Structure formats: structure tokens, C-alpha cells
Amino acid sequence: MTALAPEIPVWDTPVTHRFGVALGMHANPYTGDLLRAIRGAAARAGCDLMLADTHDSVAEEAAVVRALRADRVDGVLLVPAPGDDAVINGLVRMGIPTVLVDRIAGRNDVDQVGSENIQAVSSLVEHLASRRHRRIAMVTGAADSAVSEERTLGYRLGLDRAGLRYNPELVACGMSSPGGAARAAAKLLDGWPSPSAVVVGGESMLMGVQWEAHRRGIRIGAELAVVGFGDMAWARTVSPAITTMAQPISEIGRRAVQLLMARVQEPDRRPEAVRLAPRFLHRASCGC
């Protein structure tokens, strides 16, 4: 269990609340940006933070949340680890003010803030279809993730809107990891006929898909269109740069703190799920 020491900023106003932030510090490429946004919003609200690293593990998540509770934090900002909802269930049952951040869960009894996934992925598929792609594949994230499920639904919605039939042979699970995505891409590219375009359902998986295409000598943008979700720095600088839906990470962090403040001040308010629209970043990997 890794619980980090409290931040020790100099406040212009007295600290009114102390919140726990539990997340996998190295689980996503954008974790640093998310933490900066949370810290900034907390500072403006006069709140202190305690950070705890879950290592993106359900078991570690349970341990660090217990530690935060023992430190009597006023509320918890939680990026849920993939797996069961035992920790979330416990927080809700005990009435601890909680906001789920980034990874939306399929429930309506807790405050949440994250990206809109279904319409965003549908737009990626429709964009590829407008470029006359007819065999559009998808590399999905981990099967136990509500976010992955939503992005897969968006893929199917986009196919339907483009007048294309869903084919399960064009979908492979990338396990939300670069290695899993490389294996998923290999499976898809070994099919016949192979896809002409691939939608990648998460940031880390884009690296695996790109690596597998490079290993096979496939030119992304010219021979295989690739689009994804997330705006990693490397995706802007590789050649060709990757067309993506960029999540509004800074706004997610700010809204998370606002939701938690509202929950602390009004414990009986109805739980709210905030979905923030990603931004379409059109680059060369889609072949345009």
C-alpha cells in the first residue's frame, strides 16, 4: 500500500476541507495532467489533498482507501481500478462523499465525471466511413470496464449510422495495455480480408497497434487508417500523427473537485454523472 504524504502548500485562505485522491499514478499517460488540474481546483477552493497510489489494483485500492478513511479525509476522489466495485460500494454504503473520476461506472448512486464515450467513438467511425472505409475494426479495452463497454457501443453506433454491418470478427480485446493491443492488432490483421481501418479504444493501446503495424511493414495512414481515443504527446509527434478524440482532462479534474465540494456541502443531493465532450483532433493517421 502506498499512501503519499499530504501536500504542504501555502494558502491565502484557511484550509476548509481535506480530500483524498486515490488513483494509479502510472496507469494512464495523462495522470500528471489530471493531478495538476485537481490540485489547482483544490487550491482555489481552499482544500488540502492527500494522494494515494492504487497501482491500478483493486486490492491496493481497498488498502489506500482504508488509509485515507483512517486519516479522516472529508471526501474521496477515486479513479477506480478495473475490476469489481467493492471499494465504491463501501464508500457509498458508509456515506463518505465520493466522486469517481475519469472512469465512469455503470451506476447512479455516486457522483461521477468523465469523458463522453459513445458519441465520440461513433464520430470516429463515421469519419472513417466517409473516407470510403468499409472494413473498420476496433481494438477494445478491458472487458470489465464500463468505459470500454461504452466505447464499443459507440463503435457499433457509428457502423449503424454509416450503413455498415457489425462483424464480431473485426473486434478484438486489447486488454487496455500496449501488449494486449499488439496481440489484438495481429489477430485483426491476420484476418482475410484484413481491415482497412482500426479504431483504438484507449491511449496505451495505440502504442501497441502502432508497433504491430510497424513490425509488419504496414504504413499507417497510407495502407491502414488508425484513429484513437486520447491526446498523448507522442501521438502528435510520430509520423504520421495520430487522429484522436482528446479527452478534456483538465476540465475533468476541475469538475471533480467541484462535485466533491457540492457533495460535502449538500450530502443529500441527488448523485450526478457529468459527461464532458472530447475534442476531435484531425491528423494524418486516418489517411486524410
Side-chain angles (χ1 to χ4, degrees):
M1 186 268 290
T2 306
L4 304 183
E7 299 294 304
I8 312 177
V10 177
W11 304 104
D12 294 328
T13 57
V15 174
T16 56
H17 298 292
R18 187 170 58 151
F19 295 144
V21 182
L23 77 173
M25 298 293 286
H26 305 289
N28 291 298
Y30 53 79
T31 297
D33 292 335
L34 180 62
L35 277 175
R36 278 189 289 274
I38 290 173
R39 283 175 170 145
R44 288 189 293 274
C47 299
D48 200 358
L49 297 177
M50 292 193 69
L51 306 182
D53 187 358
T54 68
H55 299 286
D56 220 26
S57 155
V58 172
E60 197 74 10
E61 179 180 85
V64 300
V65 167
R66 283 195 300 271
L68 291 171
R69 285 173 46 217
D71 269 318
R72 298 184 179 277
V73 294
D74 297 304
V76 175
L77 296 170
L78 174 65
V79 178
D84 64 56
D85 284 358
V87 172
I88 303 171
N89 292 338
L91 290 167
V92 171
R93 186 174 61 252
M94 290 181 287
I96 297 171
T98 301
V99 176
L100 306 186
V101 186
D102 184 35
R103 294 175 180 167
I104 297 289
R107 54 195 301 159
N108 59 9
D109 58 350
V110 63
D111 292 309
Q112 309 185 58
V113 58
S115 296
E116 193 288 319
N117 294 301
I118 297 175
Q119 298 298 330
V121 175
S122 176
S123 296
L124 288 174
V125 175
E126 292 175 74
H127 175 71
L128 292 171
S130 73
R131 300 292 301 170
R132 301 186 182 278
H133 291 285
R134 293 297 175 263
R135 287 184 62 80
I136 303 172
M138 182 170 190
V139 175
T140 67
D144 56 2
S145 163
V147 169
S148 295
E149 291 177 4
E150 289 184 355
R151 292 178 186 173
T152 303
L153 284 174
Y155 166 73
R156 297 191 67 160
L157 177 62
L159 291 176
D160 185 64
R161 287 175 170 172
L164 300 175
R165 181 176 297 180
Y166 172 74
N167 180 353
E169 294 182 358
L170 289 175
V171 178
C173 181
M175 302 300 294
S176 298
S177 70
R183 291 187 292 272
K187 177 182 176 182
L188 293 169
L189 294 171
D190 283 339
W192 183 259
S194 61
S196 63
V198 179
V199 178
V200 185
E203 292 86 348
S204 61
M205 295 190 295
L206 270 167
M207 292 184 283
V209 172
Q210 187 190 48
W211 182 88
E212 181 61 22
H214 178 74
R215 188 182 73 83
R216 292 170 178 248
I218 296 173
R219 293 176 297 158
I220 291 177
E223 298 171 306
L224 178 69
V226 174
V227 299
F229 214 99
D231 184 29
M232 308 71 58
W234 68 264
R236 307 167 210 162
T237 57
V238 295
S239 182
I242 307 296
T243 295
T244 64
M245 281 289 182
Q247 299 184 83
I249 296 301
S250 294
E251 182 62 16
I252 287 173
R254 288 191 292 268
R255 292 296 296 272
V257 173
Q258 292 170 4
L259 276 177
L260 191 53
M261 288 289 293
R263 175 61 56 195
V264 169
Q265 294 164 3
E266 192 179 346
D268 296 328
R269 63 187 287 275
R270 186 175 180 177
E272 186 176 353
V274 177
R275 305 293 187 117
L276 301 172
R279 182 164 52 100
F280 180 60
L281 299 179
H282 186 197
R283 299 176 179 134
S285 67
C286 55
C288 298

